[in-house]
Amino acid sequence: MVERYWPGVCDADVDALAVRLRAAAGRLAAQGEPIRYLGSVLLVGDDVVQCRFESDDADAVVWLNERAGAQFDRLLSARAYPA
């Protein structure tokens, strides 16, 4: 998961970011890198966007975000659990 502090972020910004992240993930996957973009969460009022990825390689997550032009503040290792 990556965390972005993004002052003034709105839904349209997150939607546009998702398009770029999906495209970058697709390019990496086509090159044989097992990585997927799983979606984002906008923390309304905090100007924070958290984006989830599935990958065993933190460097691939960094590379994907760089290629998508998506700067971030923190890279976090996380596990998701079903509801």
Side-chain angles (χ1 to χ4, degrees), residues 16-30:
L17 173 64
V19 169
R20 295 195 321 268
L21 292 172
R22 274 193 296 275
R27 287 191 299 272
L28 266 178

Side-chain angles (χ1 to χ4, degrees), residues 68-80:
Q71 299 210 352
F72 61 92
D73 298 293
R74 293 195 311 164
L75 176 63
L76 306 155
S77 181
R79 288 188 184 94

Side-chain angles (χ1 to χ4, degrees), residues 30-46:
Q31 296 172 8
E33 182 67 46
I35 189 168
R36 292 186 328 142
Y37 166 63
L38 301 177
S40 297
V41 175
L42 170 58
L43 302 177
V44 179
D46 285 339

